[in-house]
Amino acid sequence: MEARAADQLPTEPGWWFEPKWDGFRCLAFRQAREVSLRAKSGKSLTRYFPEVVALLETIGEPQFVLDGELLIASDGRFSFESLQMRLHPAQSRIQRLAAETPAQLVVFDMLQAPEGSDLRALPHRRRHQALEAFVKRHARPGLSLTPGTEDLATAQGWLDEGKLEGIVAKRRDGPYAEGERAMIKVK
């Protein structure tokens, strides 16, 4: 779930570019009636983001696994500090913050389809098509698809604006590589 750092965006064809968000990387699992959220460390985030769990519970699919980023908007920007404030032992504080500053899940990959098929071995292009269809079918506030492009100039423009933590580049023909550094992050 980590990207390796690079000094510049790859220029050869076959790359997909997405914003690198300043949030909590999160795998969202739905299995029957249970929803769980996991950080890239493997630790559970479920209790800290009850509004995201509730949102995913409204999706009428028996199962899925999404890869994305938890974000909280504050003053027109995303606030990592607001996310960190959620990691608190008091459930009452978590509930209050969930109501005051709700988190959202921005997704960029689908690892398991609702019918149960494991998508990790498929090329990114196919996984992304499945994810786009899923998000379109289940559109609701708090769940969105990250922007992405194959156009190097567009990605470089996002980077040059200076509003993002960086750009993540993924091979369009590559499988989901767990534990590997298959993505490139440019700041």
Side-chain angles (χ1 to χ4, degrees), residues 43-69:
K43 292 183 180 178
S44 177
L45 295 171
T46 306
R47 74 179 292 269
Y48 303 113
F49 297 94
E51 74 281 25
V52 175
V53 170
L55 165 79
L56 295 174
E57 287 174 342
T58 69
I59 294 175
E61 300 285 1
Q63 59 198 351
F64 55 81
V65 179
L66 304 173
D67 190 355
E69 195 96 3

PDB file of all heavy atoms in Angstrom, residues 43-69:
ATOM      1  N   LYS A  43      -3.903  -1.883  11.212  1.00  0.00           N
ATOM      2  CA  LYS A  43      -4.717  -1.571  12.384  1.00  0.00           C
ATOM      3  C   LYS A  43      -6.119  -1.155  11.963  1.00  0.00           C
ATOM      4  O   LYS A  43      -6.320  -0.542  10.916  1.00  0.00           O
ATOM      5  CB  LYS A  43      -4.071  -0.459  13.204  1.00  0.00           C
ATOM      6  CG  LYS A  43      -2.783  -0.896  13.853  1.00  0.00           C
ATOM      7  CD  LYS A  43      -2.207   0.195  14.709  1.00  0.00           C
ATOM      8  CE  LYS A  43      -0.909  -0.301  15.337  1.00  0.00           C
ATOM      9  NZ  LYS A  43      -0.273   0.741  16.139  1.00  0.00           N
ATOM     10  N   SER A  44      -7.067  -1.464  12.816  1.00  0.00           N
ATOM     11  CA  SER A  44      -8.456  -1.115  12.540  1.00  0.00           C
ATOM     12  C   SER A  44      -8.694   0.384  12.720  1.00  0.00           C
ATOM     13  O   SER A  44      -8.243   0.979  13.705  1.00  0.00           O
ATOM     14  CB  SER A  44      -9.393  -1.892  13.467  1.00  0.00           C
ATOM     15  OG  SER A  44     -10.726  -1.487  13.228  1.00  0.00           O
ATOM     16  N   LEU A  45      -9.411   0.977  11.777  1.00  0.00           N
ATOM     17  CA  LEU A  45      -9.863   2.368  11.870  1.00  0.00           C
ATOM     18  C   LEU A  45     -11.376   2.428  12.056  1.00  0.00           C
ATOM     19  O   LEU A  45     -11.945   3.504  12.121  1.00  0.00           O
ATOM     20  CB  LEU A  45      -9.474   3.134  10.595  1.00  0.00           C
ATOM     21  CG  LEU A  45      -7.986   3.302  10.332  1.00  0.00           C
ATOM     22  CD1 LEU A  45      -7.757   3.887   8.940  1.00  0.00           C
ATOM     23  CD2 LEU A  45      -7.349   4.175  11.398  1.00  0.00           C
ATOM     24  N   THR A  46     -12.014   1.275  12.150  1.00  0.00           N
ATOM     25  CA  THR A  46     -13.475   1.183  12.136  1.00  0.00           C
ATOM     26  C   THR A  46     -14.123   2.045  13.217  1.00  0.00           C
ATOM     27  O   THR A  46     -15.037   2.816  12.932  1.00  0.00           O
ATOM     28  CB  THR A  46     -13.913  -0.291  12.278  1.00  0.00           C
ATOM     29  OG1 THR A  46     -13.257  -1.058  11.259  1.00  0.00           O
ATOM     30  CG2 THR A  46     -15.409  -0.442  12.136  1.00  0.00           C
ATOM     31  N   ARG A  47     -13.687   1.950  14.451  1.00  0.00           N
ATOM     32  CA  ARG A  47     -14.342   2.681  15.543  1.00  0.00           C
ATOM     33  C   ARG A  47     -14.139   4.192  15.448  1.00  0.00           C
ATOM     34  O   ARG A  47     -14.905   4.961  16.004  1.00  0.00           O
ATOM     35  CB  ARG A  47     -13.897   2.159  16.908  1.00  0.00           C
ATOM     36  CG  ARG A  47     -12.492   2.567  17.330  1.00  0.00           C
ATOM     37  CD  ARG A  47     -12.130   2.035  18.715  1.00  0.00           C
ATOM     38  NE  ARG A  47     -12.878   2.626  19.780  1.00  0.00           N
ATOM     39  CZ  ARG A  47     -12.505   3.712  20.466  1.00  0.00           C
ATOM     40  NH1 ARG A  47     -11.362   4.313  20.177  1.00  0.00           N
ATOM     41  NH2 ARG A  47     -13.253   4.183  21.442  1.00  0.00           N
ATOM     42  N   TYR A  48     -13.102   4.641  14.741  1.00  0.00           N
ATOM     43  CA  TYR A  48     -12.778   6.063  14.669  1.00  0.00           C
ATOM     44  C   TYR A  48     -13.552   6.814  13.580  1.00  0.00           C
ATOM     45  O   TYR A  48     -13.588   8.040  13.585  1.00  0.00           O
ATOM     46  CB  TYR A  48     -11.277   6.247  14.437  1.00  0.00           C
ATOM     47  CG  TYR A  48     -10.437   5.580  15.491  1.00  0.00           C
ATOM     48  CD1 TYR A  48      -9.639   4.488  15.178  1.00  0.00           C
ATOM     49  CD2 TYR A  48     -10.461   6.017  16.811  1.00  0.00           C
ATOM     50  CE1 TYR A  48      -8.872   3.859  16.141  1.00  0.00           C
ATOM     51  CE2 TYR A  48      -9.692   5.392  17.791  1.00  0.00           C
ATOM     52  CZ  TYR A  48      -8.911   4.324  17.444  1.00  0.00           C
ATOM     53  OH  TYR A  48      -8.153   3.702  18.410  1.00  0.00           O
ATOM     54  N   PHE A  49     -14.159   6.082  12.659  1.00  0.00           N
ATOM     55  CA  PHE A  49     -14.872   6.705  11.549  1.00  0.00           C
ATOM     56  C   PHE A  49     -16.257   6.079  11.382  1.00  0.00           C
ATOM     57  O   PHE A  49     -16.566   5.483  10.343  1.00  0.00           O
ATOM     58  CB  PHE A  49     -14.036   6.603  10.265  1.00  0.00           C
ATOM     59  CG  PHE A  49     -12.738   7.346  10.386  1.00  0.00           C
ATOM     60  CD1 PHE A  49     -11.576   6.692  10.777  1.00  0.00           C
ATOM     61  CD2 PHE A  49     -12.692   8.712  10.179  1.00  0.00           C
ATOM     62  CE1 PHE A  49     -10.390   7.377  10.943  1.00  0.00           C
ATOM     63  CE2 PHE A  49     -11.508   9.421  10.336  1.00  0.00           C
ATOM     64  CZ  PHE A  49     -10.346   8.757  10.725  1.00  0.00           C
ATOM     65  N   PRO A  50     -17.115   6.220  12.401  1.00  0.00           N
ATOM     66  CA  PRO A  50     -18.434   5.580  12.352  1.00  0.00           C
ATOM     67  C   PRO A  50     -19.315   6.091  11.214  1.00  0.00           C
ATOM     68  O   PRO A  50     -20.139   5.343  10.693  1.00  0.00           O
ATOM     69  CB  PRO A  50     -19.036   5.903  13.722  1.00  0.00           C
ATOM     70  CG  PRO A  50     -18.319   7.132  14.177  1.00  0.00           C
ATOM     71  CD  PRO A  50     -16.927   6.993  13.630  1.00  0.00           C
ATOM     72  N   GLU A  51     -19.114   7.333  10.801  1.00  0.00           N
ATOM     73  CA  GLU A  51     -19.924   7.871   9.702  1.00  0.00           C
ATOM     74  C   GLU A  51     -19.563   7.216   8.374  1.00  0.00           C
ATOM     75  O   GLU A  51     -20.434   7.039   7.508  1.00  0.00           O
ATOM     76  CB  GLU A  51     -19.818   9.404   9.634  1.00  0.00           C
ATOM     77  CG  GLU A  51     -18.515   9.954   9.088  1.00  0.00           C
ATOM     78  CD  GLU A  51     -17.328   9.975  10.060  1.00  0.00           C
ATOM     79  OE1 GLU A  51     -17.274   9.178  11.018  1.00  0.00           O
ATOM     80  OE2 GLU A  51     -16.425  10.794   9.837  1.00  0.00           O
ATOM     81  N   VAL A  52     -18.299   6.848   8.183  1.00  0.00           N
ATOM     82  CA  VAL A  52     -17.885   6.160   6.957  1.00  0.00           C
ATOM     83  C   VAL A  52     -18.393   4.718   6.982  1.00  0.00           C
ATOM     84  O   VAL A  52     -18.878   4.211   5.969  1.00  0.00           O
ATOM     85  CB  VAL A  52     -16.353   6.224   6.769  1.00  0.00           C
ATOM     86  CG1 VAL A  52     -15.915   5.416   5.564  1.00  0.00           C
ATOM     87  CG2 VAL A  52     -15.898   7.678   6.637  1.00  0.00           C
ATOM     88  N   VAL A  53     -18.328   4.082   8.142  1.00  0.00           N
ATOM     89  CA  VAL A  53     -18.873   2.730   8.289  1.00  0.00           C
ATOM     90  C   VAL A  53     -20.370   2.747   7.969  1.00  0.00           C
ATOM     91  O   VAL A  53     -20.866   1.923   7.188  1.00  0.00           O
ATOM     92  CB  VAL A  53     -18.620   2.173   9.706  1.00  0.00           C
ATOM     93  CG1 VAL A  53     -19.389   0.871   9.932  1.00  0.00           C
ATOM     94  CG2 VAL A  53     -17.122   1.954   9.922  1.00  0.00           C
ATOM     95  N   ALA A  54     -21.097   3.711   8.535  1.00  0.00           N
ATOM     96  CA  ALA A  54     -22.545   3.818   8.289  1.00  0.00           C
ATOM     97  C   ALA A  54     -22.833   4.050   6.810  1.00  0.00           C
ATOM     98  O   ALA A  54     -23.762   3.463   6.243  1.00  0.00           O
ATOM     99  CB  ALA A  54     -23.148   4.933   9.142  1.00  0.00           C
ATOM    100  N   LEU A  55     -22.033   4.875   6.164  1.00  0.00           N
ATOM    101  CA  LEU A  55     -22.185   5.140   4.732  1.00  0.00           C
ATOM    102  C   LEU A  55     -22.024   3.847   3.926  1.00  0.00           C
ATOM    103  O   LEU A  55     -22.848   3.534   3.069  1.00  0.00           O
ATOM    104  CB  LEU A  55     -21.145   6.164   4.288  1.00  0.00           C
ATOM    105  CG  LEU A  55     -20.914   6.322   2.791  1.00  0.00           C
ATOM    106  CD1 LEU A  55     -22.019   7.164   2.186  1.00  0.00           C
ATOM    107  CD2 LEU A  55     -19.561   6.920   2.526  1.00  0.00           C
ATOM    108  N   LEU A  56     -20.980   3.084   4.214  1.00  0.00           N
ATOM    109  CA  LEU A  56     -20.727   1.851   3.468  1.00  0.00           C
ATOM    110  C   LEU A  56     -21.764   0.779   3.767  1.00  0.00           C
ATOM    111  O   LEU A  56     -22.041  -0.074   2.925  1.00  0.00           O
ATOM    112  CB  LEU A  56     -19.315   1.348   3.747  1.00  0.00           C
ATOM    113  CG  LEU A  56     -18.188   2.271   3.256  1.00  0.00           C
ATOM    114  CD1 LEU A  56     -16.826   1.757   3.699  1.00  0.00           C
ATOM    115  CD2 LEU A  56     -18.233   2.471   1.756  1.00  0.00           C
ATOM    116  N   GLU A  57     -22.356   0.829   4.952  1.00  0.00           N
ATOM    117  CA  GLU A  57     -23.428  -0.112   5.282  1.00  0.00           C
ATOM    118  C   GLU A  57     -24.686   0.141   4.455  1.00  0.00           C
ATOM    119  O   GLU A  57     -25.489  -0.774   4.265  1.00  0.00           O
ATOM    120  CB  GLU A  57     -23.766  -0.027   6.774  1.00  0.00           C
ATOM    121  CG  GLU A  57     -22.715  -0.645   7.656  1.00  0.00           C
ATOM    122  CD  GLU A  57     -22.957  -0.434   9.142  1.00  0.00           C
ATOM    123  OE1 GLU A  57     -23.735   0.473   9.514  1.00  0.00           O
ATOM    124  OE2 GLU A  57     -22.352  -1.177   9.934  1.00  0.00           O
ATOM    125  N   THR A  58     -24.850   1.369   3.930  1.00  0.00           N
ATOM    126  CA  THR A  58     -26.028   1.673   3.107  1.00  0.00           C
ATOM    127  C   THR A  58     -25.914   1.131   1.687  1.00  0.00           C
ATOM    128  O   THR A  58     -26.891   1.137   0.945  1.00  0.00           O
ATOM    129  CB  THR A  58     -26.295   3.191   3.028  1.00  0.00           C
ATOM    130  OG1 THR A  58     -25.256   3.826   2.269  1.00  0.00           O
ATOM    131  CG2 THR A  58     -26.420   3.816   4.397  1.00  0.00           C
ATOM    132  N   ILE A  59     -24.725   0.682   1.300  1.00  0.00           N
ATOM    133  CA  ILE A  59     -24.528   0.136  -0.044  1.00  0.00           C
ATOM    134  C   ILE A  59     -25.094  -1.280  -0.072  1.00  0.00           C
ATOM    135  O   ILE A  59     -24.686  -2.136   0.705  1.00  0.00           O
ATOM    136  CB  ILE A  59     -23.045   0.157  -0.447  1.00  0.00           C
ATOM    137  CG1 ILE A  59     -22.582   1.617  -0.567  1.00  0.00           C
ATOM    138  CG2 ILE A  59     -22.815  -0.608  -1.741  1.00  0.00           C
ATOM    139  CD1 ILE A  59     -21.112   1.785  -0.849  1.00  0.00           C
ATOM    140  N   GLY A  60     -26.017  -1.498  -0.956  1.00  0.00           N
ATOM    141  CA  GLY A  60     -26.719  -2.780  -1.016  1.00  0.00           C
ATOM    142  C   GLY A  60     -25.965  -3.853  -1.761  1.00  0.00           C
ATOM    143  O   GLY A  60     -26.501  -4.458  -2.694  1.00  0.00           O
ATOM    144  N   GLU A  61     -24.742  -4.092  -1.385  1.00  0.00           N
ATOM    145  CA  GLU A  61     -23.930  -5.159  -1.980  1.00  0.00           C
ATOM    146  C   GLU A  61     -23.477  -6.081  -0.857  1.00  0.00           C
ATOM    147  O   GLU A  61     -23.147  -5.610   0.233  1.00  0.00           O
ATOM    148  CB  GLU A  61     -22.710  -4.587  -2.701  1.00  0.00           C
ATOM    149  CG  GLU A  61     -23.018  -3.642  -3.841  1.00  0.00           C
ATOM    150  CD  GLU A  61     -23.524  -4.325  -5.100  1.00  0.00           C
ATOM    151  OE1 GLU A  61     -23.662  -5.567  -5.109  1.00  0.00           O
ATOM    152  OE2 GLU A  61     -23.783  -3.615  -6.075  1.00  0.00           O
ATOM    153  N   PRO A  62     -23.400  -7.395  -1.109  1.00  0.00           N
ATOM    154  CA  PRO A  62     -23.045  -8.335  -0.039  1.00  0.00           C
ATOM    155  C   PRO A  62     -21.577  -8.274   0.370  1.00  0.00           C
ATOM    156  O   PRO A  62     -21.228  -8.610   1.490  1.00  0.00           O
ATOM    157  CB  PRO A  62     -23.378  -9.695  -0.644  1.00  0.00           C
ATOM    158  CG  PRO A  62     -23.247  -9.488  -2.117  1.00  0.00           C
ATOM    159  CD  PRO A  62     -23.684  -8.069  -2.373  1.00  0.00           C
ATOM    160  N   GLN A  63     -20.720  -7.850  -0.558  1.00  0.00           N
ATOM    161  CA  GLN A  63     -19.281  -7.830  -0.271  1.00  0.00           C
ATOM    162  C   GLN A  63     -18.564  -6.935  -1.258  1.00  0.00           C
ATOM    163  O   GLN A  63     -19.032  -6.723  -2.372  1.00  0.00           O
ATOM    164  CB  GLN A  63     -18.709  -9.236  -0.331  1.00  0.00           C
ATOM    165  CG  GLN A  63     -18.901  -9.893  -1.678  1.00  0.00           C
ATOM    166  CD  GLN A  63     -18.731 -11.388  -1.614  1.00  0.00           C
ATOM    167  OE1 GLN A  63     -18.321 -11.932  -0.612  1.00  0.00           O
ATOM    168  NE2 GLN A  63     -19.035 -12.057  -2.698  1.00  0.00           N
ATOM    169  N   PHE A  64     -17.449  -6.421  -0.831  1.00  0.00           N
ATOM    170  CA  PHE A  64     -16.530  -5.666  -1.680  1.00  0.00           C
ATOM    171  C   PHE A  64     -15.318  -5.287  -0.847  1.00  0.00           C
ATOM    172  O   PHE A  64     -15.360  -5.303   0.390  1.00  0.00           O
ATOM    173  CB  PHE A  64     -17.173  -4.422  -2.305  1.00  0.00           C
ATOM    174  CG  PHE A  64     -17.799  -3.458  -1.338  1.00  0.00           C
ATOM    175  CD1 PHE A  64     -17.030  -2.534  -0.631  1.00  0.00           C
ATOM    176  CD2 PHE A  64     -19.166  -3.470  -1.126  1.00  0.00           C
ATOM    177  CE1 PHE A  64     -17.616  -1.649   0.257  1.00  0.00           C
ATOM    178  CE2 PHE A  64     -19.762  -2.584  -0.249  1.00  0.00           C
ATOM    179  CZ  PHE A  64     -18.980  -1.667   0.455  1.00  0.00           C
ATOM    180  N   VAL A  65     -14.222  -4.960  -1.529  1.00  0.00           N
ATOM    181  CA  VAL A  65     -13.047  -4.386  -0.883  1.00  0.00           C
ATOM    182  C   VAL A  65     -12.603  -3.210  -1.742  1.00  0.00           C
ATOM    183  O   VAL A  65     -12.337  -3.367  -2.936  1.00  0.00           O
ATOM    184  CB  VAL A  65     -11.891  -5.404  -0.731  1.00  0.00           C
ATOM    185  CG1 VAL A  65     -10.678  -4.731  -0.062  1.00  0.00           C
ATOM    186  CG2 VAL A  65     -12.328  -6.623   0.054  1.00  0.00           C
ATOM    187  N   LEU A  66     -12.540  -2.040  -1.114  1.00  0.00           N
ATOM    188  CA  LEU A  66     -12.131  -0.810  -1.778  1.00  0.00           C
ATOM    189  C   LEU A  66     -10.831  -0.313  -1.165  1.00  0.00           C
ATOM    190  O   LEU A  66     -10.614  -0.437   0.039  1.00  0.00           O
ATOM    191  CB  LEU A  66     -13.204   0.275  -1.609  1.00  0.00           C
ATOM    192  CG  LEU A  66     -14.608  -0.067  -2.080  1.00  0.00           C
ATOM    193  CD1 LEU A  66     -15.580   1.044  -1.694  1.00  0.00           C
ATOM    194  CD2 LEU A  66     -14.626  -0.305  -3.581  1.00  0.00           C
ATOM    195  N   ASP A  67      -9.992   0.269  -1.993  1.00  0.00           N
ATOM    196  CA  ASP A  67      -8.753   0.887  -1.542  1.00  0.00           C
ATOM    197  C   ASP A  67      -8.920   2.379  -1.749  1.00  0.00           C
ATOM    198  O   ASP A  67      -9.304   2.831  -2.836  1.00  0.00           O
ATOM    199  CB  ASP A  67      -7.586   0.352  -2.376  1.00  0.00           C
ATOM    200  CG  ASP A  67      -6.222   0.750  -1.831  1.00  0.00           C
ATOM    201  OD1 ASP A  67      -6.144   1.523  -0.855  1.00  0.00           O
ATOM    202  OD2 ASP A  67      -5.216   0.277  -2.401  1.00  0.00           O
ATOM    203  N   GLY A  68      -8.665   3.152  -0.705  1.00  0.00           N
ATOM    204  CA  GLY A  68      -8.860   4.584  -0.830  1.00  0.00           C
ATOM    205  C   GLY A  68      -8.182   5.368   0.266  1.00  0.00           C
ATOM    206  O   GLY A  68      -7.235   4.898   0.907  1.00  0.00           O
ATOM    207  N   GLU A  69      -8.692   6.565   0.480  1.00  0.00           N
ATOM    208  CA  GLU A  69      -8.121   7.499   1.437  1.00  0.00           C
ATOM    209  C   GLU A  69      -9.253   8.139   2.215  1.00  0.00           C
ATOM    210  O   GLU A  69     -10.232   8.614   1.628  1.00  0.00           O
ATOM    211  CB  GLU A  69      -7.334   8.569   0.670  1.00  0.00           C
ATOM    212  CG  GLU A  69      -6.414   9.390   1.494  1.00  0.00           C
ATOM    213  CD  GLU A  69      -4.975   8.878   1.489  1.00  0.00           C
ATOM    214  OE1 GLU A  69      -4.654   7.906   0.794  1.00  0.00           O
ATOM    215  OE2 GLU A  69      -4.171   9.465   2.222  1.00  0.00           O
TER     216      GLU A  69
END
